[in-house]
Amino acid sequence: MEGTMRGVRKTAPGRGAEYRTDLPIPRIGEDEVLMRVCASAICGTDLHIYGWNEWAANRMKNLPIVFGHETAGEIVEVGKNVTGWQVGDRISVETHIPCNRCFQCENGRRHICENMRLFGVTEPGAFAEYAPVPKDCIVRLGDGVSYEMGAMLEAMGAGVHGVEKAEVRSKTVLVSGCGPIGLMVVGACKAHGAKRVIACDILPEKLKLAEVMGADVTVNSAEEDIIQAVRRETNGPGADAAIDITGSGRAIVAGLRALRKGGRMVSVGLPGGEIPVNLTEDIIYREIQYTGVSGRQMFATWDDCMEILQSPGFSLEPVIGGRYPLEGFEDALAAIQGGAPGKMLLIP
């Protein structure tokens, strides 16, 4: 497809990005499809890219580049090596681009490929009217799943992967952090049969949304000690499982200490550096199981997300914080940085 398009591009190292109306429509390779973008969501990673932190500087060596990776749209062109897909198919996109050759890929763990490339980070992304999508990253949207919902599934999948790892059925679960992923985790825990969900955050408006998503108990951790609150709500022993979305060292340690002996801790949020943890007292002596998750299992977690969307009472609508045109991306970023609850969407 020839012509130009509108989009948001990271042009150079340092803070900022630019909105352009004259970007070339991407030419796809033989193993790609071209997607007309119908909705994209803004992720914390995009804030890192815009602000140009160490994480972004270490990964983005191919500037200028359109970024953005949480997205959904319609296929408008199909590369000659791509089978099973056709023009008009409605899709979402898996961010991880596996090599399909390393040990991890050959053993069913493509989501932690040794040679990982990232859609919207190391490769052109979706804050634009069109985006090239590798065939390994295409996910079919189910009937009744809107493009807006489809744009939120990548983020939802990271949280749902954490819910899967926490094995929440019939358990009391602590969810730390009620940003968009945390809110989806709360709903996913209930859909997975959690007995009780305790959600914590420092912002009252986010805790209110957690209640809408199904939290049985909410705790403002800026006002109340979360460890004491969880022990009170569990009559002493602590939570069976904890899922951390914050990446905050303080929250992670509190989550560990709020667990009962033999409990399970899952980290979804990414700390900015090393965190001091008392391994002897907080983990070893208490036989705590601690694991992290990286994105979504390809593609079991996506299938799980599609099932959760059909669960009675589950809705992503409360998680949507605002809808913006592409040219309003800086307004959307400002809303997020100002603490506004919910997921901000860019609608080309």
Side-chain angles (χ1 to χ4, degrees), residues 108-171:
R109 294 185 291 270
R110 293 195 294 164
H111 65 293
I112 50 173
C113 168
E114 299 285 1
N115 306 298
M116 187 75 69
R117 294 178 294 133
L118 298 172
F119 175 81
V121 181
T122 65
E123 314 301 318
F127 286 168
E129 293 180 280
Y130 296 92
V133 180
K135 65 180 181 180
D136 285 334
C137 301
I138 307 170
V139 181
R140 193 179 304 277
L141 288 183
D143 294 339
V145 179
S146 70
Y147 288 120
E148 291 186 350
M149 287 185 196
M152 298 169 71
L153 286 175
E154 194 268 4
M156 177 182 172
V160 168
H161 191 184
V163 174
E164 294 166 341
K165 288 284 190 180
E167 298 180 358
V168 302
R169 182 168 301 280
S170 301
K171 292 181 178 179

Side-chain angles (χ1 to χ4, degrees), residues 1 4-6 25-26 34-37 76 125-126 128-132:
M1 180 180 293
T4 58
M5 65 177 185
R6 297 176 298 123
I25 294 175
L34 184 65
M35 179 182 71
R36 179 176 65 85
V37 178
V76 294
E129 293 180 280
Y130 296 92

